[in-house]
Amino acid sequence: MGLPALEFSDCYLDSPQFRERLKSHEMELEKTNKFIKELIKDGKALIQALKNLSTAKRKFAESLNEFKFQCIGDAETDDEICIAKSLQEFAGVLQNLEDERTRMIENANDVLILPLERFRKEQIAAAKEAKKKYDKETEKYCAVVEKHLSLSAKKKEAHLHEADNQVDHVRQHFYEVSLEYVFKVQEVQERKMFEFVEPLLSFLQGLFTYYHHGYELAKDFNHFKTDLTISIQNTRNRFDSTRSEVECLMKKMKENPHEHKSISPHTMQGYLFVQEKRSFVSTWVKYYCSYHREPKRMTLMMFDQKSGGKTGDEESFTLKSCTRRKTDSIEKRFCFDIEAVDRPGVITMQALSEEDRRLWMEAMDGREPVYTLNRDSQNEAMAQLDVIGFNIVTKFIYAVETRGIDEQGLYRIVGVNSRVQKLLGLAMDPKTCADVELDSTEWEIKTITSAIKHYLRMLPGPLMTYQYQRNFIKAAKLDNPEARVAEIHSIVHRLPEKNRQMLELLMKHLAKVASHHQQNLMTVANLGVVFGPTLLRPQEETVAAIMDIKFQNIVVEILIENHERIFKDMPVSGGGQGNTQLNLPRRRSADGKAPSCSERPLTLFPTPTFSEKDKAVEKRNSVVVNSSADSVNCNSTHNWTRLNSLPTGDGDHDGPQLAKPSQPNSLQNPKVRSSMSTSTPLRKARALYACKAEHDSELSFIAGTIFDNVHRSREPGWLEGSLDGKTGLIPENYVEFV
């Protein structure tokens, strides 16, 4: 049975039954108090045990991380590289898991220990104080009553009247104290149902978050685990199959050391990757190369090691010069440039290792590079807001709306980079653009949406212009929602005509995409996250600009939700710059705080998987995976002025881009692209501050985290690096290179 209810009316009777009921409540409170004390003690012991376990696992991870495999020879196979870094991968997983455990432990004191202690001290202690006061008033009241009843009836009437008044006053005070005590006792009994249990629930939620983080880590690690398993098996198989032959060769060498002659120092042979550049695409093709020093003749032969046959004709040329490629001038490692006497242009080659490059350069009398800055290497075409550009967007939008507007993760899931680049090359080539059939199943919806996003990033400047970028941000920071819409409405109509028309086309399409959010899961907020950094990228890379990303997203949300009003109607006079609230800052919220890595973002959409062939191409390409190709209808008779007359089902639509801090200048200015894509070496960096990822393309981390393979991203203000086997974006101002 539960505790009996304490009626306030019983306080006046103060019957034995009332006292018994009150005593049962007091006993329950005392029992709860002792239990909480014991629970706090056990909780602290548990937290300490978790700390000890975490320390031991970190020590184990450090031991794994410190050991380095040393392979025989000056080059390593892919399997050997995979195996050599396996211990560091294991250590990274353990350290990442312990980082989450540390956050859980740090939060445990706040969510479990402190609330329980506060409930015990503030509520139960208050009930005990009320009991002391109640007992004291009971004694006082009983004493006054007994004394009053012992008065002689022969006392003067005035004296008796005064005594009666005194007793009434004491009795009234006793009743008040009794009522307050009963109220407090029952309040604490009811309050403990949530204030006692809620901290326990929060603590368990922290445990669940930790376990879920481990589950996510296991999923992220699964790819490397598969590769490592294959590498180990391949290495074992090679060892088993070649050991006897190697042993036989060893015996022959012992018997006749001169039988096996070394390669001539005047000849160099081996595999090299040669950079081949086509429209908007840069690929690395593997060749078997032979160099004869005496005639300075280089021979290249494309050879497929898998099939064991040639895949092309041999090509030869006479060497003119060889120069080591600067580390910070290209994203690839181990590169060098050669010039030929009988072949125009510079040929960029990548050796298999630093040692391999050294040997090639020694054989070809290579020299060190001349260090010049900001060299323009290519003059590539860029997207423009012209007839072709509008036809590109229209054709791609039509394909999205007719084929895949209900596809989950639309615009959030990116296409395979090799496919996107192929589509871009075909669409931008006047010879092949008319042959691109987007209705064909050859082109996935994610490939088409990535092409739309890439078109926007290839514009010379952001669609909403550098000129008005700060105006849009200020408008989004206004307190009054209606004022925000009015100000953005006014600024939109100050944009250049073509920019406004393209923006209208895009917003109409995004509104239609958002209207299908029940199926595609792309709400207005999700689309804002995807498109904000693209349409409103800042001209300067600063911390302040990075902090304004959330307001860029808000601007896009407002444009989508109010696209009919903003683009159909002219702004109200005085609703723009004259708005008195324009300079009023938006009230700060929790979003203004430094991001915390303890809030690990959950993946909303599944990570796209690639085929092994695509993965290989992805690995070679220096272009970011989510950079998208543009498809265009090259028929010049398709004038973009027809766009506004298209039905909403097949026109006036555009595709968003993967949410990133800012738009890649390298994809808008071709000269910048060449410079940026070849300017940053792969290095390690250390996090100075903690950061929580706001998108699955970014990395979450805490202060002190070490990143591998760090290089400049095409996203202004961001770097790209690897952490625990995952590659993503890192705020540039949050890290320092080591």
Side-chain angles (χ1 to χ4, degrees):
M1 286 183 63
L3 295 172
L6 298 176
E7 299 293 343
F8 289 128
S9 58
D10 290 339
C11 295
Y12 294 95
L13 294 177
D14 199 15
S15 64
Q17 293 79 8
F18 169 71
R19 290 283 181 165
E20 286 295 327
R21 290 194 294 271
L22 185 59
K23 186 176 181 180
S24 64
H25 280 263
E26 293 170 349
M27 292 174 62
E28 178 61 24
L29 284 181
E30 184 62 28
K31 177 182 175 183
T32 302
N33 184 44
K34 290 181 179 179
F35 176 70
I36 292 177
K37 286 177 64 176
E38 192 67 26
L39 190 62
I40 292 173
K41 178 181 177 181
D42 294 340
K44 290 180 177 179
L46 173 60
I47 292 173
Q48 186 58 46
L50 290 174
K51 289 181 179 179
N52 294 337
L53 175 60
S54 181
T55 301
K57 292 185 71 173
R58 285 185 183 277
K59 182 64 175 66
F60 180 72
E62 290 174 2
S63 299
L64 290 176
N65 194 48
E66 290 172 358
F67 184 79
K68 307 291 183 182
F69 281 107
Q70 295 296 330
C71 297
I72 300 174
D74 58 0
E76 300 173 345
T77 66
D78 292 340
D79 292 327
E80 289 170 340
I81 293 173
C82 183
I83 293 174
K85 70 177 183 179
S86 61
L87 297 186
Q88 285 69 44
E89 291 287 342
F90 298 157
V93 171
L94 292 175
Q95 288 172 349
N96 191 305
L97 192 59
E98 291 314 305
D99 289 342
E100 184 65 27
R101 190 200 301 274
T102 299
R103 288 190 286 271
M104 179 194 69
I105 293 172
E106 291 173 351
N107 291 334
N109 188 64
D110 295 333
V111 302
L112 178 65
I113 305 301
L114 292 181
L116 290 178
E117 289 180 339
R118 185 166 54 248
F119 175 73
R120 179 172 166 269
K121 293 177 180 178
E122 294 179 1
Q123 300 300 325
I124 297 180
K128 288 185 175 182
E129 287 298 322
K131 174 175 170 50
K132 291 179 181 178
K133 185 176 180 181
Y134 175 68
D135 291 340
K136 183 178 179 181
E137 289 299 323
T138 299
E139 293 179 4
K140 180 179 178 181
Y141 172 65
C142 292
V144 169
V145 170
E146 291 175 2
K147 181 179 179 182
H148 180 68
L149 294 178
S150 64
L151 287 176
S152 174
K154 297 179 180 180
K155 294 284 186 179
K156 292 182 179 181
E157 186 65 27
H159 183 75
L160 293 175
H161 183 69
E162 181 181 355
D164 290 342
N165 289 339
Q166 182 181 3
V167 170
D168 290 341
H169 177 74
V170 172
R171 180 185 296 109
Q172 183 63 32
H173 185 65
F174 169 69
Y175 289 158
E176 291 176 358
V177 171
S178 178
L179 289 170
E180 291 174 357
Y181 177 50
V182 168
F183 174 79
K184 186 62 179 179
V185 167
Q186 295 192 114
E187 178 192 21
V188 175
Q189 294 288 10
E190 291 298 315
R191 189 184 288 272
K192 74 178 183 181
M193 299 298 291
F194 55 90
E195 289 202 4
F196 172 43
V197 177
E198 191 173 37
L200 297 174
L201 177 61
S202 299
F203 177 69
L204 285 178
Q205 183 60 40
L207 284 176
F208 296 152
T209 302
Y210 167 73
Y211 292 132
H212 181 74
H213 182 80
Y215 170 74
E216 292 292 331
L217 277 179
K219 288 203 303 184
D220 295 341
F221 186 73
N222 190 60
H223 177 68
F224 177 77
K225 182 183 70 173
T226 302
D227 290 345
L228 180 59
T229 302
I230 295 172
S231 295
I232 292 174
Q233 187 61 44
N234 290 343
T235 304
R236 177 181 286 110
N237 292 341
R238 283 195 295 268
F239 173 79
D240 293 337
S241 62
T242 61
R243 185 177 186 278
S244 59
E245 295 182 10
V246 172
E247 188 174 7
C248 181
L249 177 61
M250 179 187 66
K251 293 178 179 179
K252 290 180 180 180
M253 292 292 293
K254 286 181 178 180
E255 295 172 359
N256 188 359
H258 302 289
E259 186 179 80
H260 189 79
K261 296 181 180 180
S262 60
I263 298 176
S264 169
H266 302 292
T267 300
M268 186 67 189
Q269 294 178 315
Y271 285 98
L272 292 173
F273 285 86
V274 179
Q275 187 180 36
E276 296 184 354
K277 300 172 183 177
R278 301 182 181 91
S279 297
F280 300 97
V281 180
S282 177
T283 59
W284 293 82
V285 181
K286 192 175 184 180
Y287 288 87
Y288 186 80
C289 303
S290 300
Y291 176 72
H292 298 278
R293 187 169 187 176
E294 188 61 32
K296 289 191 174 182
R297 197 70 181 167
M298 172 73 84
T299 302
L300 284 70
M301 180 177 62
M302 192 181 298
F303 185 83
D304 187 0
Q305 292 172 284
K306 298 178 182 178
S307 63
K310 296 181 181 180
T311 58
D313 297 330
E314 288 188 1
E315 180 182 358
S316 297
F317 53 84
T318 302
L319 180 70
K320 179 180 180 181
S321 66
C322 172
T323 307
R324 182 180 67 82
R325 190 65 178 264
K326 290 191 301 181
T327 305
D328 58 355
S329 68
I330 192 168
E331 291 184 348
K332 296 287 187 178
R333 304 168 67 192
F334 322 131
C335 294
F336 57 92
D337 293 334
I338 61 175
E339 294 181 88
V341 175
D342 48 355
R343 174 173 170 172
V346 176
I347 306 171
T348 300
M349 294 185 170
Q350 182 188 28
L352 302 183
S353 67
E354 184 63 38
E355 180 64 12
D356 193 34
R357 177 171 68 174
R358 183 184 66 80
L359 294 174
W360 278 101
M361 291 189 63
E362 285 182 358
M364 294 186 287
D365 297 321
R367 64 176 184 266
E368 289 297 308
V370 177
Y371 288 85
T372 57
L373 299 177
N374 299 324
R375 181 179 61 184
D376 293 336
S377 61
Q378 292 182 341
N379 184 21
E380 299 175 286
M382 65 176 69
Q384 298 290 343
L385 292 176
D386 52 11
V387 173
I388 292 179
F390 276 85
N391 283 335
I392 290 172
V393 176
T394 304
K395 185 174 182 178
F396 276 60
I397 285 176
Y398 179 82
V400 172
E401 293 198 346
T402 55
R403 289 183 52 201
I405 197 168
D406 291 333
E407 190 166 308
Q408 289 191 1
L410 191 66
Y411 289 115
R412 188 75 80 110
I413 297 177
V414 298
V416 176
N417 187 51
S418 58
R419 300 289 299 158
V420 171
Q421 293 298 335
K422 180 180 178 181
L423 176 58
L424 176 63
L426 293 173
M428 298 299 290
D429 189 341
K431 297 179 180 179
T432 60
C433 62
D435 298 329
V436 177
E437 295 293 339
L438 296 180
D439 292 336
S440 170
T441 55
E442 176 185 3
W443 305 112
E444 296 180 282
I445 290 299
K446 64 183 180 182
T447 303
I448 299 174
T449 56
S450 294
I452 296 175
K453 293 184 291 184
H454 188 56
Y455 164 79
L456 295 172
R457 289 197 296 274
M458 291 174 63
L459 294 173
L463 187 60
M464 298 171 74
T465 74
Y466 292 127
Q467 178 183 357
Y468 295 109
Q469 194 263 354
R470 293 306 307 166
N471 299 69
F472 280 113
I473 297 299
K474 289 180 180 179
K477 292 181 179 181
L478 294 175
D479 278 338
N480 190 316
E482 184 58 33
R484 290 200 288 266
V485 176
E487 183 61 26
I488 290 174
H489 188 179
S490 174
I491 301 171
V492 165
H493 284 265
R494 285 183 250 152
L495 292 172
E497 182 68 19
K498 290 184 178 180
N499 293 65
R500 186 171 70 254
Q501 290 177 349
M502 179 62 75
L503 187 63
E504 179 180 4
L505 175 65
L506 177 62
M507 292 304 116
K508 285 182 179 179
H509 170 60
L510 296 186
K512 174 164 284 191
V513 172
S515 69
H516 290 251
H517 70 274
Q518 294 288 353
Q519 294 78 31
N520 58 36
L521 305 182
M522 294 303 292
T523 62
V524 172
N526 287 337
L527 293 171
V529 169
V530 171
F531 271 91
T534 299
L535 303 179
L536 280 168
R537 66 179 181 275
Q539 195 164 12
E540 296 183 52
E541 302 174 22
T542 62
V543 174
I546 295 174
M547 293 298 102
D548 282 340
I549 289 176
K550 53 182 171 287
F551 297 112
Q552 298 172 4
N553 303 343
I554 291 173
V555 172
V556 175
E557 292 176 25
I558 291 174
L559 289 173
I560 296 174
E561 292 175 337
N562 303 274
H563 71 280
E564 292 188 359
R565 166 185 168 184
I566 290 176
F567 294 101
K568 297 292 184 185
D569 303 331
M570 293 299 295
V572 179
S573 178
Q577 287 181 324
N579 194 309
T580 58
Q581 289 190 336
L582 180 57
N583 295 322
L584 295 178
R586 185 185 180 91
R587 187 176 292 107
R588 283 185 173 273
S589 65
D591 292 339
K593 300 178 181 178
S596 169
C597 261
S598 61
E599 303 173 38
R600 188 179 194 279
L602 300 181
T603 303
L604 178 60
F605 302 111
T607 303
T609 58
F610 310 125
S611 66
E612 291 300 318
K613 180 177 179 181
D614 289 331
K615 290 178 183 175
V617 176
E618 289 290 325
K619 185 175 181 182
R620 295 198 305 267
N621 285 341
S622 61
V623 182
V624 182
V625 170
N626 72 326
S627 64
S628 320
D630 247 326
S631 177
V632 56
N633 186 340
C634 292
N635 189 344
S636 60
T637 61
H638 288 193
N639 195 308
W640 57 265
T641 56
R642 296 176 55 243
L643 299 180
N644 290 332
S645 65
L646 290 175
T648 57
D650 58 6
D652 292 359
H653 321 292
D654 196 297
Q657 136 205 359
L658 187 66
K660 289 185 180 177
S662 60
Q663 193 53 34
N665 291 330
S666 59
L667 294 182
Q668 302 140 16
N669 189 330
K671 295 184 178 181
V672 176
R673 167 164 35 177
S674 174
S675 175
M676 291 181 67
S677 65
T678 62
S679 62
T680 306
L682 301 180
R683 301 169 61 185
K684 288 191 175 183
R686 178 186 295 107
L688 300 175
Y689 316 101
C691 180
K692 184 198 76 170
E694 296 182 355
H695 192 270
D696 53 11
S697 66
E698 303 167 17
L699 296 177
S700 293
F701 51 88
I702 62 174
T705 299
I706 299 296
F707 303 93
D708 295 319
N709 303 327
V710 179
H711 57 277
R712 183 174 297 280
S713 168
R714 287 180 174 78
E715 303 292 343
W718 292 80
L719 302 173
E720 188 171 10
S722 298
L723 175 61
D724 304 323
K726 179 180 179 182
T727 300
L729 296 177
I730 310 163
E732 184 175 7
N733 294 285
Y734 277 52
V735 300
E736 63 177 0
F737 285 100
V738 297

